Amino acid sequence: MYDLVLLHSPTVYDFRKEMLFTGPISDVVPSSPVFEMYPIGLTSIGDYLERFGLKVKIINIANRMLLNPNFDVEKKIRKIKTKAFGIDLHWLPHAHGSVELAKIIKKYHPATPVMFGGLSSTYFHKELIEYPFIDFVMREDTTEKLILMLLNKLEKKETDSFFDIPNLTWKKSNFYHYNEMTYVPDSLDEFNLPGYRYIIRSVFKYFNLLDPLPYKGWLQYPNTAILTSKGCTYNCLICGGSKDAYDLNCNRKKLVMRSPKKMLEDIALIQRFTRAPIFLLNDLRQGGKEYVDEFLTGLEQMDLKNEIVFELFNYVDEEFFKRLNKAMPKYSIELTLELADEDIRKYNGKLPCTNVKVIEMLQYALKHNCAKIDIFFMTGIPNQDYDSAIRNVDFCETVHKECGEDLRISYFVAPLSPFLDPGSPAFEHPEKYGYKKFYHKLEDFRAAMKQPSWKNMLSYETNKMTREDIVRATYDSALKLNEFKYKHNIVPKDVHDEVAVKIEKSVEFLKRLDELALLPDDEQKTEMAKIKEEVDKINRHSICGKNELKWEVKKLFADFPSLTTIGMELLVKDIIKGIKCRIGKIDRNIAVIPNSQSNNMEK
């Protein structure tokens, strides 16, 4: 019997049956269009609760469905024995799948509580709680302690009132209650983000390797990431993690950084079981110069073997790259430039510096031994028209030339899709910032995810481009970028040819789907079923090569002997902890929210 089972859903629950042309919406992320990679907050929740003797299991339902076409979801859920279920709705594309999982849970476990969490859950909490199969919504971005409080009450059967649990949305006797958001922790150090120790331990503790895998192919290519912060000092218009979005959605008034010490501990653990690159999520420099110096000094003192990947939100001078080069044997950077047009980029808020400064920064990085630079452009940005989208590729030519045609720079283009981020300035004030929204309620987004074409999944159009224009600009710029890459030997001929064919077929499918939409429903379903297999073949890596985002690293596979050693070490500690819990030396009913952790809250 578990105390909590955390489930991660696919975007669309019945994706294995439905004909869904998702196009390029996941081409520049590790997951497939099913978005089977779960948010790292699930691992932090599991790790935190198990410190108090609870048994918590993560089951990546989306990945299990991908790995095995015959995987029986209902059979799996029916056999689970747990005191509560948790489902993440962090990214809005999971709106359909997450709610469908809740329905299935209540079908087989009608008396077992079901809770939701994540940023999208927080935003749509009032709609979620109205579903008869959802009992609780835990709001805000750091809910580990609140979940412990809730599980304690459920364990004691104190179900008459949950008013004393901050940030909780709940219902009783057909009345809905929205507790005030008064818990916004200003320190992250007691939480492991992500909880790799928890993942490894759970494999050995619960004798199941497949359930907690982060995404399909993780064992072969174990991407790892460390969350450096919550909140943001930037206010990009389209970002659900912007300063305004965090304030509106989570009552988070200021940025909070994880300590360098905690991140260094994470890096030391990760390099014990893989040599894959370690991504630092969010720009480390938001913590200030002293913070960065402390972290980089710590790296210098480590026997560092893994490549570290840094995300940059703004211009960086040469001294920073000198410091990176000194601190570690190998590093890379990622830039989400979005646009070549400086004025539009500045208006949107992402990398608001001149193109001259962008190129200068890239030259500094290359000069100081940066191993790889990924630059991402987007279509669907406010004030961007078709010609502006195409100019992104022209700028790639300029960058390539000014940087000595260095092949360490990789270029990508992708649409802003499928949805505007809830809570972002553009979502909240679309007309002000150049958008028209098609979807507003959670049910709108659930229905959108079942649209057969990604064009009709798009939740917006801009002041310069319709949905059709955004799709055309995406494919035309991707096609032009593909030619640029082949011309300059950035990709080989076979990759170029495969991408060119997929783009051509994608455009054909869009036209075909528009024609099928005019048919009667029964005939439409029959015809769509006929093309499902063809569509599935081009739904992944349709605008870039499947290996372009990967790093060439020796011994990239997960090191199974090391994983086993770490797992056994953690399991022994877990057994000792369990004994302490049973004899009362660890109290799961402690006062979990000291006043000092609520000092940045406003009612």
Side-chain angles (χ1 to χ4, degrees):
M1 171 71 76
Y2 301 105
D3 292 285
L4 178 66
V5 170
L6 298 166
L7 302 179
H8 179 66
S9 73
T11 49
V12 176
Y13 173 69
D14 40 5
F15 73 93
R16 294 182 295 188
K17 299 177 182 178
E18 297 282 345
M19 199 299 296
L20 301 169
F21 178 41
T22 53
I25 66 173
S26 67
D27 274 7
V28 293
V29 295
S31 316
S32 72
V34 175
F35 286 99
E36 75 275 14
M37 185 169 67
Y38 52 77
I40 61 178
L42 288 190
T43 66
S44 177
I45 291 168
D47 177 82
Y48 184 82
L49 295 179
E50 290 209 339
R51 293 182 212 168
F52 295 90
L54 278 71
K55 294 179 67 177
V56 182
K57 185 174 184 180
I58 292 176
I59 304 177
N60 189 343
I61 294 293
N63 195 44
R64 293 302 307 267
M65 295 173 77
L66 273 177
L67 291 173
N68 180 4
N70 298 315
F71 177 74
D72 190 331
V73 178
E74 296 202 23
K75 181 180 178 181
K76 179 76 171 180
I77 289 176
R78 186 175 67 246
K79 290 184 175 180
I80 295 173
K81 295 181 179 180
T82 183
K83 298 174 184 176
F85 286 94
I87 300 175
D88 69 275
L89 175 51
H90 184 67
W91 297 299
L92 192 50
H94 289 92
H96 183 272
S98 60
V99 173
E100 295 304 307
L101 275 190
K103 288 182 186 177
I104 295 171
I105 289 171
K106 284 299 185 181
K107 176 181 176 180
Y108 295 106
H109 306 278
T112 305
V114 175
M115 70 181 77
F116 267 56
L119 289 185
S120 293
S121 289
T122 299
Y123 191 90
F124 292 104
H125 69 107
K126 291 185 178 180
E127 295 178 53
L128 285 169
I129 200 63
E130 292 183 2
Y131 291 113
F133 33 81
I134 297 175
D135 302 291
F136 304 99
V137 182
M138 197 63 79
R139 293 153 25 228
E140 215 262 330
D141 60 20
T142 310
T143 60
E144 291 86 347
K145 290 189 173 186
L146 306 180
I147 293 174
L148 178 59
M149 291 180 71
L150 177 58
L151 293 177
N152 285 342
K153 278 187 173 287
L154 294 173
E155 177 72 16
K156 295 177 181 179
K157 301 190 184 306
E158 296 176 357
T159 56
D160 291 338
S161 173
F162 299 96
F163 285 108
D164 60 339
I165 301 179
N167 308 8
L168 181 67
T169 294
W170 54 288
K171 60 193 171 194
K172 183 181 179 184
S173 302
N174 295 321
F175 286 95
Y176 304 117
H177 304 280
Y178 317 110
N179 296 356
E180 289 186 82
M181 193 175 291
T182 55
Y183 172 67
V184 187
D186 55 8
S187 173
L188 302 177
D189 274 10
E190 62 183 309
F191 311 113
N192 288 319
L193 297 159
Y196 287 116
R197 289 174 180 83
Y198 163 78
I199 296 176
I200 297 169
R201 182 177 65 243
S202 67
V203 170
F204 294 88
K205 185 175 181 178
Y206 304 128
F207 304 105
N208 192 304
L209 174 65
L210 297 179
D211 282 348
L213 284 179
Y215 58 85
K216 186 178 181 182
W218 188 84
L219 289 173
Q220 293 74 34
Y221 193 86
N223 264 329
T224 58
I226 296 173
L227 187 65
T228 65
S229 61
K230 292 185 179 182
C232 194
T233 58
Y234 291 84
N235 204 35
C236 302
L237 298 182
I238 62 172
C239 183
S242 64
K243 183 178 179 180
D244 279 1
Y246 263 107
D247 187 0
L248 171 71
N249 205 25
C250 299
N251 197 22
R252 185 168 290 285
K253 308 296 183 184
K254 62 181 181 180
L255 174 80
V256 56
M257 304 286 298
R258 293 186 73 217
S259 70
K261 178 183 176 182
K262 291 294 292 184
M263 294 197 298
L264 292 168
E265 289 175 0
D266 289 341
I267 290 171
L269 173 70
I270 290 169
Q271 70 176 17
R272 286 185 63 186
F273 65 83
T274 180
R275 290 290 174 266
I278 301 171
F279 291 76
L280 302 184
L281 303 176
N282 301 330
D283 194 329
L284 196 73
R285 297 173 301 143
Q286 292 185 100
K289 185 178 184 303
E290 290 185 5
Y291 179 92
V292 173
D293 285 343
E294 182 182 346
F295 176 71
L296 295 181
T297 299
L299 286 182
E300 284 181 275
Q301 296 169 352
M302 289 179 64
D303 181 19
L304 186 61
K305 298 179 175 64
N306 292 51
E307 179 178 357
I308 308 295
V309 184
F310 294 84
E311 194 174 7
L312 302 179
F313 291 169
N314 208 337
Y315 173 77
V316 183
D317 62 19
E318 185 172 8
E319 289 304 312
F320 181 74
F321 293 110
K322 286 182 180 178
R323 188 76 175 87
L324 294 185
N325 193 28
K326 177 185 176 185
M328 65 205 83
K330 194 174 184 181
Y331 73 93
S332 293
I333 62 173
E334 290 200 340
L335 302 174
T336 303
L337 195 59
E338 292 183 354
L339 301 114
D341 289 346
E342 297 173 358
D343 291 343
I344 306 176
R345 191 168 70 236
K346 185 176 181 180
Y347 177 76
N348 187 46
K350 186 64 67 90
L351 272 159
C353 59
T354 66
N355 287 343
V356 170
K357 285 292 187 181
V358 169
I359 292 172
E360 180 181 86
M361 176 170 57
L362 297 173
Q363 290 170 337
Y364 288 151
L366 295 170
K367 176 182 176 182
H368 294 288
N369 298 318
C370 184
K372 190 176 189 292
I373 301 173
D374 286 342
I375 304 178
F376 298 91
F377 296 91
M378 297 184 74
T379 55
I381 305 298
N383 297 328
Q384 176 196 53
D385 58 17
Y386 174 87
D387 291 335
S388 173
I390 298 301
R391 282 197 295 274
N392 287 338
V393 185
D394 296 332
F395 185 59
C396 294
E397 290 273 6
T398 301
V399 170
H400 193 65
K401 180 180 178 181
E402 293 295 324
C403 291
E405 301 189 353
D406 200 306
L407 298 182
R408 285 177 287 173
I409 304 179
S410 299
Y411 309 86
F412 303 92
V413 64
L416 171 59
S417 66
F419 307 140
L420 288 174
D421 283 356
S424 67
F427 188 94
E428 297 305 312
H429 310 286
E431 294 81 8
K432 178 179 178 180
Y433 294 117
Y435 281 102
K436 175 184 177 181
K437 286 199 306 185
F438 295 111
Y439 310 134
H440 305 272
K441 300 294 186 180
L442 186 62
E443 277 298 323
D444 298 338
F445 293 100
R446 281 172 44 75
M449 284 308 300
K450 296 203 71 175
Q451 289 287 331
S453 167
W454 74 274
K455 178 181 72 174
N456 296 323
M457 291 179 194
L458 290 178
S459 67
Y460 68 94
E461 62 185 20
T462 74
N463 54 0
K464 298 291 184 179
M465 289 197 284
T466 64
R467 283 166 158 173
E468 288 76 11
D469 293 332
I470 293 168
V471 170
R472 182 167 68 96
T474 297
Y475 284 127
D476 287 356
S477 57
L479 194 61
K480 185 174 181 179
L481 183 61
N482 190 46
E483 296 302 321
F484 155 78
K485 291 177 181 179
Y486 178 57
K487 171 186 172 184
H488 293 289
N489 300 312
I490 297 172
V491 298
K493 187 176 186 304
D494 62 329
V495 172
H496 163 269
D497 292 350
E498 181 181 7
V499 171
V501 168
K502 283 189 173 183
I503 291 175
E504 180 183 1
K505 286 185 175 294
S506 295
V507 174
E508 291 176 1
F509 275 123
L510 282 171
K511 292 179 180 177
R512 194 168 174 184
L513 289 171
D514 284 343
E515 294 170 356
L516 292 180
L518 302 175
L519 298 175
D521 288 348
D522 291 344
E523 190 175 346
Q524 184 183 132
K525 289 180 180 179
T526 300
E527 292 300 316
M528 285 187 177
K530 293 178 181 178
I531 63 173
K532 175 175 167 48
E533 187 175 345
E534 292 180 77
V535 169
D536 286 346
K537 290 179 181 178
I538 63 168
N539 260 345
R540 188 74 173 113
H541 309 297
S542 61
I543 56 174
C544 65
K546 64 181 180 180
N547 292 317
E548 285 191 64
L549 277 167
K550 292 183 178 180
W551 271 249
E552 294 296 329
V553 184
K554 294 180 180 179
K555 295 176 65 176
L556 191 57
F557 286 70
D559 188 326
F560 287 99
S562 295
L563 282 171
T564 302
T565 301
I566 297 169
M568 296 309 295
E569 291 172 3
L570 296 172
L571 194 58
V572 169
K573 291 180 181 179
D574 192 70
I575 292 171
I576 294 172
K577 187 185 302 178
I579 295 171
K580 289 182 177 180
C581 285
R582 284 193 292 273
I583 63 176
K585 290 190 175 182
I586 297 179
D587 183 8
R588 63 180 271 184
N589 300 310
I590 59 170
V592 294
I593 304 181
N595 291 333
S596 62
Q597 294 197 344
S598 304
N599 61 6
N600 66 336
M601 306 167 200
E602 295 184 8
K603 293 185 180 180

